[in-house]
Amino acid sequence: MRTSTRIAGALTGLTLILGGAVLTAPAARADIPACARMAELAGATSSDAVTGACSRGVVGDLQGCVTGLTGAGVAGGAATGACRAAAHEPR
């Protein structure tokens, strides 16, 4: 077998192995529980509305999250903080 063929085969195998590791690695989870806790401490009245709003914050819809939390009784500044917490990895 030629050296160039062996090197190409080794590089292909390495690429497949590393690619598989990336695909099977767990994704960073967003922090819906932290968002919900912050919203409840700030006066949220509906846990279903809070969970829905925090879920929007997870996918990057900050405005939709804030709107949902303020509709559930959370003040504007607290809603913004909670929605920002939703987008971060749990600590």
Side-chain angles (χ1 to χ4, degrees):
M1 194 184 265
R2 294 170 61 189
T3 303
S4 61
T5 305
R6 277 189 258 162
I7 291 173
L11 289 175
T12 301
L14 183 61
T15 301
L16 291 173
I17 290 170
L18 293 176
V22 169
L23 292 175
T24 60
R29 292 180 8 139
D31 205 348
I32 293 175
C35 173
R37 279 191 303 275
M38 290 176 72
E40 289 169 7
L41 290 173
T45 56
S46 169
S47 62
D48 291 337
V50 168
T51 302
C54 289
S55 296
R56 286 190 293 275
V58 166
V59 297
D61 181 10
L62 182 63
Q63 186 59 46
C65 178
V66 171
T67 301
L69 288 181
T70 54
V74 179
T80 301
C83 290
R84 287 189 176 149
H88 291 92
E89 184 176 345
R91 298 177 199 256

